[in-house]
Amino acid sequence: MVLLLGAAAACGSRGAEPAARLSARLIRQSRDTLRFEAGAVANRCGRGGDGLVLQGNAHGNGVLIYVRSDSAASGDFPLMARADSTAPRGAIVAARFQAGDLARGVVLDSGAVALTRAGDVLTATARGAGAEVAGTGRVALTASFESVRIGLDTVPCAARL
């Protein structure tokens, strides 16, 4: 699942509100570090809108967080396997990044997501690591989403194998 990163779009600010932002830092096993910032969006997903998708990307680099919760409330969320259809609460985190001329990716297999919700505005932090997709090493990721307003649209969030 290339987790909808291609569909991510930057979101502008509304009035005097702070702009929704993603700040990310990836560290590859070779100790290469990549930092980037991007605009961010969030949408409800799922049949009953019981999940949230936060995403941001810029210049080929991006992060997507899917949070599954029966209430989408604030709290800490353990990481789930990509195709986990039974856990009632958890998160999936994926990142895409450019390394030279190559696009690379990672889905976190260890770590957690902390989500704070105030009305329809979200703050989320993902910290963890995972095996590089089509690579040989591990990648550590710290990603923070700030001041992200939940959009009006509902997007699909079913995993497809």
XYZ file of all heavy atoms in Angstrom, residues 47-154:
748
model
N -15.995 3.753 6.936
C -17.455 3.751 6.744
C -18.162 4.696 7.701
O -19.038 5.425 7.328
C -17.994 2.350 6.902
C -17.526 1.450 5.818
C -18.067 0.085 5.980
N -17.314 -0.800 5.085
C -17.637 -2.019 4.851
N -18.680 -2.550 5.415
N -16.915 -2.740 4.035
N -17.791 4.667 8.960
C -18.438 5.536 9.932
C -17.603 6.756 10.275
O -17.901 7.467 11.216
N -16.545 7.004 9.495
C -15.670 8.117 9.801
C -14.900 7.899 11.089
O -14.522 8.844 11.768
N -14.666 6.606 11.428
C -14.023 6.288 12.694
C -12.497 6.317 12.616
O -11.822 6.034 13.597
C -14.481 4.928 13.215
C -14.255 3.814 12.215
O -13.892 4.098 11.060
O -14.452 2.649 12.593
N -11.943 6.660 11.482
C -10.500 6.775 11.324
C -10.121 8.168 10.870
O -10.968 8.961 10.457
N -8.840 8.471 10.974
C -8.310 9.749 10.507
C -7.085 9.486 9.654
O -6.297 8.577 9.954
C -7.890 10.625 11.688
C -8.986 11.173 12.585
C -8.369 11.784 13.838
C -9.803 12.211 11.842
N -6.913 10.275 8.608
C -5.707 10.229 7.791
C -5.099 11.613 7.810
O -5.748 12.594 7.455
C -6.024 9.808 6.333
C -4.773 9.905 5.473
C -6.581 8.401 6.285
N -3.849 11.699 8.277
C -3.079 12.941 8.235
C -1.995 12.741 7.194
O -1.357 11.686 7.167
C -2.406 13.230 9.580
C -3.316 13.559 10.737
C -3.577 12.323 11.557
C -2.687 14.636 11.575
N -1.772 13.736 6.349
C -0.758 13.593 5.326
C -0.187 14.938 4.927
O -0.858 15.959 5.008
C -1.310 12.854 4.115
C -2.547 13.477 3.513
C -3.166 12.579 2.472
O -2.489 11.763 1.864
N -4.454 12.717 2.249
N 1.066 14.894 4.527
C 1.730 16.078 4.017
C 2.870 15.643 3.126
O 3.500 14.614 3.376
N 3.127 16.407 2.055
C 4.258 16.085 1.195
C 4.755 17.316 0.475
O 4.017 18.276 0.286
C 3.928 14.948 0.218
C 2.996 15.364 -0.888
O 3.011 16.505 -1.335
N 2.184 14.447 -1.357
N 6.025 17.269 0.127
C 6.662 18.338 -0.635
C 7.885 17.774 -1.337
O 8.695 17.084 -0.709
C 7.059 19.489 0.278
N 8.001 18.040 -2.632
C 9.195 17.708 -3.406
C 9.580 16.228 -3.310
O 10.746 15.886 -3.159
C 10.375 18.585 -2.981
C 10.041 20.037 -2.950
N 9.789 20.769 -4.092
C 9.872 20.882 -1.912
C 9.502 22.011 -3.761
N 9.535 22.099 -2.440
N 8.609 15.335 -3.362
C 8.878 13.906 -3.346
C 9.030 13.291 -1.970
O 9.215 12.089 -1.846
N 8.959 14.103 -0.928
C 9.058 13.609 0.449
C 7.701 13.781 1.114
O 7.064 14.829 0.954
C 10.102 14.396 1.236
C 11.462 14.337 0.595
O 11.952 13.263 0.256
N 12.077 15.490 0.402
N 7.264 12.777 1.872
C 5.973 12.897 2.524
C 5.785 11.893 3.640
O 6.509 10.902 3.731
N 4.807 12.166 4.482
C 4.447 11.282 5.584
C 2.936 11.153 5.610
O 2.211 12.122 5.376
C 4.945 11.828 6.942
C 4.455 10.961 8.099
C 6.462 11.930 6.963
N 2.468 9.938 5.900
C 1.050 9.670 6.053
C 0.852 8.908 7.355
O 1.596 7.970 7.641
C 0.534 8.827 4.883
C -0.953 8.512 4.939
C -1.547 8.614 3.553
C -1.204 7.147 5.521
N -0.120 9.333 8.139
C -0.500 8.629 9.359
C -1.973 8.285 9.251
O -2.811 9.156 9.007
C -0.278 9.484 10.628
C 1.190 9.863 10.785
C -0.779 8.736 11.866
C 1.447 10.814 11.958
N -2.288 7.013 9.423
C -3.675 6.553 9.511
C -3.915 6.155 10.960
O -3.188 5.340 11.517
C -3.918 5.368 8.577
C -5.159 4.575 8.896
C -6.404 5.198 8.958
C -5.098 3.213 9.133
C -7.551 4.458 9.257
C -6.231 2.483 9.428
C -7.453 3.108 9.485
O -8.579 2.383 9.779
N -4.915 6.751 11.579
C -5.263 6.443 12.966
C -6.635 5.798 12.973
O -7.599 6.373 12.469
C -5.282 7.715 13.850
C -5.717 7.382 15.264
C -3.919 8.378 13.851
N -6.716 4.585 13.553
C -7.998 3.901 13.690
C -8.385 3.951 15.162
O -7.623 3.562 16.034
C -7.904 2.445 13.266
C -9.261 1.748 13.388
C -9.194 0.265 13.182
N -8.600 -0.079 11.903
C -7.992 -1.238 11.672
N -7.880 -2.148 12.611
N -7.484 -1.494 10.494
N -9.581 4.460 15.402
C -10.080 4.551 16.774
C -11.588 4.589 16.719
O -12.167 5.168 15.808
C -9.535 5.822 17.437
O -10.145 6.028 18.681
N -12.205 4.020 17.725
C -13.662 4.070 17.772
C -14.158 5.472 18.077
O -15.298 5.807 17.831
C -14.209 3.065 18.773
C -13.561 3.197 20.143
O -12.699 4.065 20.331
O -13.925 2.414 21.028
N -13.303 6.333 18.598
C -13.744 7.691 18.902
C -12.837 8.761 18.312
O -13.160 9.932 18.372
C -13.805 7.895 20.422
O -12.500 7.793 20.963
N -11.693 8.376 17.733
C -10.705 9.316 17.191
C -10.368 10.396 18.209
O -10.226 11.554 17.889
C -11.194 9.905 15.874
N -10.277 9.993 19.459
C -9.972 10.921 20.540
C -8.466 11.061 20.705
O -7.679 10.330 20.121
C -10.592 10.410 21.844
N -8.077 12.000 21.553
C -6.673 12.197 21.878
C -6.124 10.973 22.590
O -6.854 10.240 23.249
C -6.515 13.412 22.794
O -6.940 14.579 22.143
N -4.817 10.752 22.453
C -4.168 9.661 23.170
C -2.996 9.102 22.407
O -2.591 9.629 21.372
N -2.439 8.029 22.950
C -1.332 7.323 22.320
C -1.880 6.117 21.576
O -2.747 5.407 22.088
C -0.312 6.869 23.362
C 0.399 8.045 24.012
O 0.550 9.091 23.346
O 0.805 7.926 25.178
N -1.344 5.886 20.387
C -1.805 4.802 19.541
C -0.629 3.895 19.199
O 0.378 4.368 18.659
C -2.423 5.343 18.243
C -3.682 6.119 18.475
C -3.636 7.449 18.866
C -4.915 5.517 18.323
C -4.796 8.167 19.095
C -6.086 6.220 18.551
C -6.024 7.553 18.940
N -0.740 2.596 19.484
C 0.322 1.672 19.084
C 0.298 1.490 17.569
O -0.729 1.721 16.924
C -0.055 0.374 19.799
C -1.543 0.447 19.932
C -1.857 1.912 20.136
N 1.421 1.074 17.014
C 1.461 0.829 15.580
C 0.806 -0.510 15.256
O 0.917 -1.460 16.015
C 2.897 0.839 15.078
C 3.596 2.193 15.153
C 4.995 2.097 14.593
C 2.806 3.270 14.433
N 0.098 -0.538 14.138
C -0.553 -1.754 13.645
C 0.175 -2.217 12.390
O 0.817 -1.417 11.710
C -2.000 -1.471 13.224
C -2.899 -0.904 14.262
S -4.607 -0.707 13.660
C -4.450 0.427 12.290
N 0.025 -3.494 12.071
C 0.491 -3.996 10.783
C -0.387 -3.389 9.694
O -1.565 -3.082 9.921
C 0.416 -5.516 10.742
N 0.160 -3.236 8.527
C -0.515 -2.552 7.426
C -1.890 -3.113 7.114
O -2.824 -2.378 6.870
C 0.370 -2.630 6.191
C -0.168 -1.890 5.025
C 0.747 -2.096 3.865
N 0.560 -3.428 3.353
C 0.362 -3.689 2.077
N 0.383 -2.735 1.215
N 0.170 -4.909 1.677
N -2.044 -4.402 7.102
C -3.322 -5.008 6.721
C -4.123 -5.481 7.925
O -5.037 -6.279 7.782
C -3.084 -6.160 5.758
N -3.828 -4.973 9.111
C -4.552 -5.370 10.327
C -5.991 -4.873 10.228
O -6.242 -3.678 10.189
C -3.865 -4.770 11.550
C -4.493 -5.209 12.859
O -5.657 -5.647 12.861
O -3.819 -5.078 13.892
N -6.915 -5.803 10.178
C -8.329 -5.423 10.081
C -9.090 -5.725 11.369
O -10.299 -5.551 11.426
C -8.984 -6.148 8.905
O -8.928 -7.537 9.119
N -8.388 -6.160 12.409
C -9.077 -6.550 13.635
C -8.811 -5.628 14.822
O -9.640 -5.546 15.714
C -8.702 -7.977 14.045
O -7.291 -8.049 14.262
C -9.095 -8.967 12.958
N -7.668 -4.965 14.867
C -7.358 -4.099 16.013
C -8.318 -2.908 16.018
O -8.451 -2.210 15.014
C -5.920 -3.605 15.947
N -9.006 -2.671 17.140
C -9.953 -1.570 17.184
C -9.283 -0.201 17.294
O -9.890 0.816 17.000
C -10.776 -1.857 18.436
C -9.866 -2.651 19.302
C -9.006 -3.452 18.378
N -8.022 -0.182 17.715
C -7.337 1.088 17.942
C -5.860 0.926 17.575
O -5.211 -0.026 17.994
C -7.468 1.456 19.413
C -6.852 2.752 19.817
C -7.140 2.992 21.315
N -6.384 4.078 21.839
C -6.762 5.355 21.823
N -7.931 5.665 21.309
N -5.991 6.294 22.306
N -5.331 1.856 16.801
C -3.922 1.802 16.429
C -3.639 2.776 15.303
O -4.503 3.541 14.881
N -2.396 2.750 14.827
C -1.986 3.663 13.767
C -1.040 2.963 12.805
O -0.344 2.018 13.170
C -1.299 4.887 14.370
N -1.039 3.430 11.577
C -0.090 3.011 10.560
C 0.613 4.277 10.094
O -0.037 5.287 9.826
C -0.785 2.319 9.370
C -1.499 1.051 9.838
C 0.215 2.009 8.260
C -2.378 0.409 8.769
N 1.942 4.217 10.011
C 2.733 5.378 9.598
C 3.611 4.970 8.424
O 4.314 3.959 8.497
C 3.621 5.900 10.753
C 4.444 7.100 10.299
C 2.775 6.245 11.974
N 3.577 5.766 7.367
C 4.408 5.516 6.188
C 5.060 6.821 5.765
O 4.484 7.899 5.945
C 3.566 4.960 5.044
N 6.260 6.703 5.202
C 6.957 7.877 4.683
C 7.554 7.537 3.330
O 7.953 6.402 3.073
C 8.054 8.329 5.643
N 7.612 8.531 2.469
C 8.264 8.428 1.166
C 9.322 9.512 1.173
O 9.081 10.629 1.632
C 7.253 8.671 0.051
C 7.851 8.609 -1.330
C 6.792 8.998 -2.375
N 7.215 8.739 -3.709
C 7.977 9.558 -4.436
N 8.396 10.678 -3.917
N 8.313 9.244 -5.662
N 10.513 9.186 0.655
C 11.575 10.186 0.650
C 12.498 9.971 -0.527
O 12.614 8.876 -1.068
C 12.361 10.161 1.968
C 12.977 8.837 2.320
C 14.312 8.586 2.048
C 12.221 7.842 2.920
C 14.883 7.360 2.370
C 12.782 6.624 3.250
C 14.116 6.379 2.973
N 13.145 11.044 -0.935
C 14.094 11.017 -2.032
C 15.494 10.823 -1.465
O 15.898 11.531 -0.549
C 14.051 12.325 -2.821
C 12.752 12.574 -3.561
C 12.530 11.602 -4.690
O 11.489 10.991 -4.755
N 13.492 11.440 -5.574
N 16.226 9.859 -1.990
C 17.628 9.640 -1.649
C 18.393 9.695 -2.963
O 18.358 8.742 -3.743
C 17.834 8.307 -0.944
N 19.009 10.822 -3.243
C 19.612 11.023 -4.553
C 18.502 11.112 -5.576
O 17.539 11.847 -5.410
N 18.624 10.311 -6.630
C 17.597 10.292 -7.675
C 16.548 9.222 -7.434
O 15.657 9.044 -8.248
C 18.245 10.045 -9.045
C 19.108 11.213 -9.486
O 18.877 12.330 -8.986
O 20.015 11.001 -10.323
N 16.659 8.491 -6.326
C 15.754 7.379 -6.066
C 14.685 7.727 -5.048
O 14.969 8.349 -4.028
C 16.546 6.173 -5.554
C 17.608 5.607 -6.483
C 18.388 4.524 -5.774
C 16.984 5.081 -7.757
N 13.465 7.295 -5.325
C 12.379 7.411 -4.346
C 12.431 6.187 -3.451
O 12.595 5.061 -3.916
C 11.038 7.492 -5.058
N 12.322 6.393 -2.163
C 12.380 5.301 -1.189
C 11.187 5.428 -0.258
O 10.525 6.450 -0.218
C 13.674 5.358 -0.404
C 14.902 5.235 -1.307
C 16.129 5.026 -0.500
N 17.291 4.866 -1.328
C 17.769 3.699 -1.744
N 17.174 2.586 -1.396
N 18.853 3.634 -2.473
N 10.965 4.389 0.539
C 9.842 4.427 1.459
C 10.089 3.587 2.686
O 10.984 2.750 2.717
N 9.262 3.832 3.692
C 9.318 3.069 4.929
C 7.921 3.035 5.538
O 7.179 4.012 5.460
C 10.343 3.668 5.928
C 9.970 5.087 6.335
C 10.499 2.790 7.154
N 7.551 1.884 6.086
C 6.358 1.745 6.915
C 6.876 1.375 8.301
O 7.614 0.401 8.440
C 5.398 0.659 6.377
C 4.202 0.502 7.314
C 4.943 0.998 4.970
N 6.533 2.155 9.301
C 7.059 1.909 10.641
C 6.530 0.599 11.214
O 5.348 0.293 11.078
C 6.699 3.052 11.584
C 7.221 4.443 11.211
C 6.941 5.427 12.347
C 8.693 4.434 10.855
N 7.435 -0.173 11.849
C 7.038 -1.410 12.507
C 7.290 -1.361 14.009
O 6.981 -2.296 14.732
C 7.716 -2.622 11.871
C 9.236 -2.521 11.864
O 9.814 -1.857 12.744
O 9.852 -3.111 10.950
N 7.870 -0.277 14.484
C 8.040 -0.072 15.924
C 7.848 1.412 16.205
O 8.122 2.255 15.353
C 9.432 -0.523 16.388
O 10.439 0.287 15.797
N 7.349 1.714 17.391
C 7.103 3.101 17.751
C 5.657 3.325 18.122
O 4.926 2.383 18.421
N 5.234 4.579 18.070
C 3.861 4.927 18.444
C 3.502 6.285 17.866
O 4.363 7.032 17.394
C 3.710 4.953 19.963
N 2.224 6.603 17.935
C 1.697 7.901 17.510
C 0.973 8.517 18.694
O 0.172 7.851 19.354
C 0.717 7.744 16.322
C 0.021 9.059 16.019
C 1.447 7.211 15.096
N 1.262 9.779 18.967
C 0.537 10.547 19.986
C -0.322 11.566 19.263
O 0.174 12.313 18.417
C 1.513 11.246 20.926
N -1.615 11.581 19.574
C -2.570 12.456 18.901
C -3.268 13.318 19.937
O -3.717 12.814 20.967
C -3.603 11.610 18.154
C -4.717 12.343 17.417
C -4.157 13.047 16.195
C -5.799 11.363 17.003
N -3.341 14.607 19.659
C -4.098 15.531 20.494
C -5.134 16.190 19.608
O -4.806 16.717 18.546
C -3.179 16.606 21.115
O -2.156 15.961 21.860
C -3.969 17.530 22.027
N -6.369 16.142 20.063
C -7.468 16.718 19.292
C -8.168 17.766 20.130
O -8.572 17.509 21.261
C -8.443 15.620 18.894
C -9.568 16.110 18.053
C -10.401 14.963 17.564
N -11.530 15.457 16.818
C -12.448 14.711 16.279
N -12.378 13.406 16.402
N -13.446 15.241 15.622
N -8.289 18.965 19.567
C -9.033 20.048 20.198
C -10.096 20.489 19.193
O -9.795 21.234 18.252
C -8.105 21.197 20.564
N -11.322 19.991 19.364
C -12.372 20.259 18.383
C -12.029 19.545 17.088
O -11.857 18.333 17.066
N -11.888 20.305 16.007
C -11.517 19.688 14.731
C -10.085 20.026 14.325
O -9.733 19.946 13.157
C -12.516 20.074 13.637
C -12.520 21.560 13.332
O -11.939 22.339 14.112
O -13.101 21.946 12.296
N -9.246 20.397 15.299
C -7.837 20.684 15.033
C -6.975 19.617 15.701
O -7.159 19.293 16.869
C -7.441 22.089 15.539
C -5.966 22.346 15.313
C -8.278 23.159 14.842
N -6.024 19.068 14.931
C -5.185 17.972 15.393
C -3.725 18.378 15.501
O -3.234 19.175 14.713
C -5.253 16.804 14.409
C -6.615 16.205 14.124
C -6.507 15.208 12.974
C -7.147 15.521 15.367
N -3.068 17.774 16.471
C -1.619 17.771 16.578
C -1.237 16.311 16.748
O -1.846 15.601 17.539
C -1.147 18.591 17.799
O -1.588 19.933 17.630
C 0.359 18.564 17.930
N -0.261 15.851 15.979
C 0.145 14.444 16.064
C 1.650 14.334 15.939
O 2.280 15.090 15.199
C -0.523 13.628 14.959
N 2.217 13.383 16.675
C 3.640 13.085 16.577
C 3.802 11.582 16.419
O 3.250 10.807 17.191
C 4.401 13.553 17.833
O 4.204 14.959 17.981
C 5.885 13.270 17.715
N 4.561 11.200 15.405
C 4.889 9.794 15.171
C 6.386 9.623 15.373
O 7.178 10.407 14.845
C 4.507 9.380 13.752
N 6.739 8.619 16.151
C 8.150 8.287 16.365
C 8.294 6.781 16.229
O 7.524 6.030 16.810
C 8.598 8.701 17.761
C 8.760 10.172 17.936
C 9.376 10.496 19.305
N 9.616 11.914 19.430
C 8.735 12.775 19.921
N 7.568 12.348 20.338
N 9.031 14.049 19.993
N 9.291 6.368 15.454
C 9.518 4.940 15.318
C 10.525 4.636 14.236
O 11.236 5.516 13.756
N 10.562 3.357 13.841
C 11.497 2.895 12.821
C 10.863 1.759 12.035
O 9.913 1.120 12.493
C 12.799 2.426 13.457
N 11.411 1.521 10.860
C 10.936 0.428 10.030
C 11.953 0.081 8.970
O 12.898 0.834 8.723
N 11.753 -1.065 8.347
C 12.631 -1.502 7.263
C 12.337 -0.679 6.019
O 11.183 -0.438 5.673
C 12.416 -2.983 6.979
N 13.405 -0.248 5.370
C 13.257 0.521 4.143
C 12.625 -0.367 3.074
O 13.053 -1.502 2.869
C 14.631 1.013 3.693
C 14.588 1.987 2.563
C 15.966 2.556 2.266
O 16.803 2.673 3.180
O 16.184 2.883 1.092
N 11.591 0.119 2.423
C 10.937 -0.631 1.351
C 11.930 -0.739 0.197
O 12.526 0.247 -0.204
C 9.642 0.076 0.892
C 9.014 -0.660 -0.286
C 8.660 0.191 2.040
N 12.125 -1.945 -0.310
C 13.056 -2.198 -1.415
C 14.470 -1.746 -1.067
O 15.227 -1.339 -1.926
C 12.574 -1.522 -2.695
N 14.804 -1.813 0.190
C 16.147 -1.455 0.621
C 16.663 -2.481 1.596
O 16.011 -3.476 1.889
N 17.830 -2.231 2.122
C 18.434 -3.208 3.013
C 18.562 -2.715 4.443
O 18.957 -3.471 5.317
C 19.842 -3.577 2.513
O 20.634 -2.378 2.455
C 19.776 -4.208 1.147
N 18.240 -1.464 4.695
C 18.462 -0.929 6.034
C 17.181 -0.519 6.727
O 16.076 -0.717 6.230
N 17.360 0.049 7.893
C 16.243 0.557 8.685
C 16.272 2.073 8.649
O 17.325 2.683 8.486
C 16.308 0.041 10.112
C 16.003 -1.466 10.137
C 15.776 -2.031 11.491
N 14.730 -1.470 12.298
C 13.426 -1.742 12.197
N 12.990 -2.563 11.278
N 12.551 -1.198 13.034
N 15.094 2.634 8.823
C 14.941 4.082 8.807
C 14.208 4.489 10.075
O 13.183 3.904 10.417
C 14.126 4.544 7.572
C 13.886 6.036 7.598
C 14.827 4.125 6.287
N 14.745 5.479 10.776
C 14.065 6.059 11.942
C 13.335 7.311 11.479
O 13.849 8.072 10.648
C 15.075 6.404 13.031
N 12.153 7.531 12.021
C 11.333 8.672 11.622
C 10.778 9.369 12.849
O 10.298 8.719 13.780
C 10.156 8.202 10.749
C 9.078 9.243 10.433
C 9.610 10.320 9.495
C 7.854 8.582 9.837
N 10.853 10.680 12.837
C 10.112 11.517 13.773
C 9.344 12.506 12.915
O 9.952 13.236 12.119
C 11.045 12.278 14.736
O 11.815 11.333 15.470
C 10.244 13.135 15.702
N 8.029 12.510 13.036
C 7.193 13.396 12.235
C 6.176 14.075 13.139
O 5.539 13.412 13.959
C 6.477 12.615 11.138
N 6.029 15.382 12.978
C 5.077 16.157 13.774
C 4.134 16.905 12.858
O 4.581 17.617 11.946
C 5.810 17.164 14.663
O 6.642 16.501 15.576
N 2.860 16.741 13.111
C 1.824 17.500 12.415
C 1.299 18.534 13.401
O 0.934 18.188 14.520
C 0.683 16.580 11.979
C 1.024 15.682 10.823
C 1.691 14.486 11.025
C 0.662 16.032 9.535
C 1.995 13.650 9.969
C 0.961 15.201 8.470
C 1.634 14.003 8.682
N 1.235 19.799 12.986
C 0.796 20.886 13.865
C -0.367 21.648 13.235
O -0.348 21.931 12.038
C 1.950 21.877 14.116
C 3.173 21.277 14.764
C 2.939 20.909 16.210
O 2.079 21.526 16.866
O 3.628 19.977 16.684
N -1.365 21.963 14.052
C -2.486 22.831 13.654
C -3.214 22.339 12.411
O -3.535 23.117 11.520
C -1.998 24.269 13.424
O -1.346 24.763 14.564
N -3.482 21.043 12.343
C -4.134 20.467 11.173
C -5.634 20.355 11.442
O -6.064 19.632 12.329
C -3.546 19.087 10.822
C -4.168 18.567 9.537
C -2.031 19.155 10.694
N -6.404 21.093 10.679
C -7.862 21.065 10.802
C -8.403 19.873 10.025
O -7.988 19.609 8.902
C -8.449 22.362 10.261
C -9.951 22.464 10.411
C -10.442 23.863 10.090
N -9.916 24.864 10.998
C -10.369 25.093 12.229
N -11.363 24.376 12.697
N -9.837 26.040 12.967
N -9.333 19.134 10.626
C -9.949 17.987 9.955
C -10.843 18.499 8.836
O -11.740 19.313 9.061
C -10.772 17.135 10.942
C -9.879 16.610 12.064
C -11.447 15.980 10.206
C -10.636 15.923 13.180
N -10.578 18.032 7.623
C -11.337 18.453 6.456
C -12.759 17.913 6.468
O -13.106 17.020 7.244
N -13.555 18.441 5.576
C -14.962 18.040 5.495
C -15.154 16.737 4.731
O -16.145 16.047 4.907
C -15.776 19.146 4.837
C -15.774 20.490 5.584
C -16.534 21.540 4.791
C -16.352 20.330 6.972
N -14.211 16.401 3.858
C -14.332 15.182 3.048
C -13.986 13.947 3.838
O -13.209 14.003 4.783
C -13.403 15.261 1.831
C -13.816 16.338 0.857
O -15.012 16.678 0.830
O -12.939 16.847 0.129
N -14.560 12.814 3.447
C -14.190 11.505 3.988
C -13.469 10.761 2.880
O -13.938 10.715 1.745
C -15.442 10.726 4.436
O -16.115 11.464 5.444
C -15.057 9.370 4.983
